[in-house]
Amino acid sequence: MKSFDAVGRELDRRAHTYANDVDQSGRHIGYRCRAEDERPVPLEKAVERRMGELKTKRKVRENQVRAMGFIVSSNDALDEKSAREFLDRSINWFGARYGYENLLAAQIHLDEGTPHAHIWIAPVIHDRETGFDRLCAKELFAPDKRRKNAEGKWEVTAQGTMSRLQEDFWEQVAKPYGYERPMRHELRARGYRSLDAYKVQVGTTRALKSEIETLEGERDKAKHGVITAKRELDGLEQLRVCLLYTSDAADECPCVDLGGRRIIKK
């Protein structure tokens, strides 16, 4: 709870540190997340209000996660009008997915290098059968489950809700604006930053493997040629030695005479 005040001040530009760091033309848009609000409610107050509304079986612990923050960044290829439209859709998508009552704060920042939106969600699930609410950030935003296989490599055994969130967001919101499909965790862990980069790397690797196989084939062929040439050279050397024999030593020569030519006996 103590951190929300500082985060909220940064979010809606109340922090004095932005006096020299950010363009002060007021090009940031705060959302009224509820119709009854006359103006955007600061994050810390919105969190306190939402926690006070919850009907839980147990008291909310001090160390429980009360809010999850997301940043949606605009595609650099979009002009400001399209970027604003995309960010508007993003905020509404989060509200519809997790409940507008759980949309704590939303701000669009156009006063930095890349337009982006800050979206804060209360990780609350309402149980209709019991009528109780519960905070469940680990459930709503769980990572993929992974384990090492027999080869000692990590593999995904179950897709988490965070991966599904990214997939759904891309399909329903970001795809029409030219965004790439989100990458799986195991690819990001290997240093890839985009799906295109991964495809290029895979294509390059396959091309290199093919080239290596071709070169290895040429190497083996060259080795065979060297062996054959050496055998021929040894035969010629033997023939040269035989030609040095005198006529009286012809019987000892390991060659036969065919019309004045010496042929090595097999």
Side-chain angles (χ1 to χ4, degrees):
M1 285 298 294
K2 294 180 180 179
S3 65
F4 285 128
D5 180 67
V7 174
R9 291 174 62 83
E10 179 181 347
L11 182 66
D12 53 23
R13 295 296 189 255
R14 288 174 289 151
H16 70 279
T17 54
Y18 279 96
N20 298 319
D21 298 340
V22 178
D23 176 18
Q24 293 297 303
S25 60
R27 296 177 65 246
H28 60 273
I29 299 95
Y31 279 74
R32 293 186 300 111
C33 297
R34 298 190 182 185
E36 64 269 21
D37 295 335
E38 296 183 358
R39 59 179 61 86
V41 175
L43 176 62
E44 62 273 18
K45 293 184 179 180
V47 172
E48 184 179 357
R49 177 174 66 181
R50 184 63 183 130
M51 294 303 103
E53 296 170 344
L54 300 183
K55 182 182 178 182
T56 58
K57 289 183 178 180
R58 302 178 183 85
K59 182 180 179 181
V60 178
R61 301 190 308 272
E62 287 294 326
N63 63 346
Q64 279 191 273
V65 177
R66 291 164 167 76
M68 296 288 292
F70 297 86
I71 297 178
V72 179
S73 181
S74 165
N75 189 328
D76 290 338
L78 299 179
D79 56 33
E80 187 170 302
K81 180 180 179 182
S82 299
R84 170 68 189 276
E85 178 186 88
F86 164 67
L87 297 174
D88 277 333
R89 289 190 59 189
S90 301
I91 292 171
N92 281 290
W93 184 85
F94 271 89
R97 185 180 182 92
Y98 298 106
Y100 284 98
E101 69 278 8
N102 294 317
L103 182 60
L104 300 171
Q107 291 266 353
I108 290 180
H109 291 171
L110 303 175
D111 51 2
E112 296 181 63
T114 300
H116 59 277
H118 293 264
I119 304 167
W120 285 84
I121 300 292
V124 176
I125 288 181
H126 177 72
D127 191 330
R128 294 183 179 180
E129 293 184 2
T130 64
F132 287 103
D133 302 307
R134 59 190 177 93
L135 290 171
C136 49
K138 290 183 178 180
E139 181 179 338
L140 283 177
F141 307 107
D144 294 342
K145 292 183 178 180
R146 301 185 302 138
R147 69 176 181 182
K148 286 187 177 180
N149 56 25
E151 299 176 354
K153 297 181 179 179
W154 288 101
E155 62 181 12
V156 175
T157 58
Q159 188 184 53
T161 53
M162 183 62 78
S163 288
R164 289 198 292 273
L165 182 159
Q166 292 175 321
E167 288 280 349
D168 292 345
F169 179 81
W170 173 76
E171 183 70 40
Q172 299 168 21
V173 183
K175 184 178 179 180
Y177 292 90
Y179 281 85
E180 297 177 2
R181 187 171 187 170
M183 297 185 66
R184 299 191 306 274
H185 173 81
E186 59 267 29
L187 296 182
R188 293 196 302 273
R190 286 160 56 184
Y192 298 107
R193 289 295 175 265
S194 72
L195 199 57
D196 282 348
Y198 171 69
K199 290 178 180 178
V200 169
Q201 182 65 37
V202 170
T204 302
T205 301
R206 288 175 179 171
L208 289 174
K209 285 183 178 179
S210 177
E211 185 177 352
I212 289 172
E213 291 175 357
T214 301
L215 291 173
E216 287 178 343
E218 294 177 354
R219 179 199 62 190
D220 294 341
K221 185 177 179 181
K223 282 183 177 180
H224 179 73
V226 169
I227 294 173
T228 302
K230 188 176 185 302
R231 288 176 179 173
E232 293 177 355
L233 184 61
D234 291 343
L236 291 173
E237 178 63 19
Q238 183 67 43
L239 179 60
R240 186 185 70 82
V241 172
C242 289
L243 290 175
L244 296 177
Y245 276 77
T246 60
S247 58
D248 57 345
D251 290 340
E252 298 179 6
C253 179
C255 304
V256 295
D257 190 351
L258 296 175
R261 292 184 302 167
R262 296 283 181 173
I263 305 299
I264 299 174
K265 295 178 182 179
K266 294 184 179 179

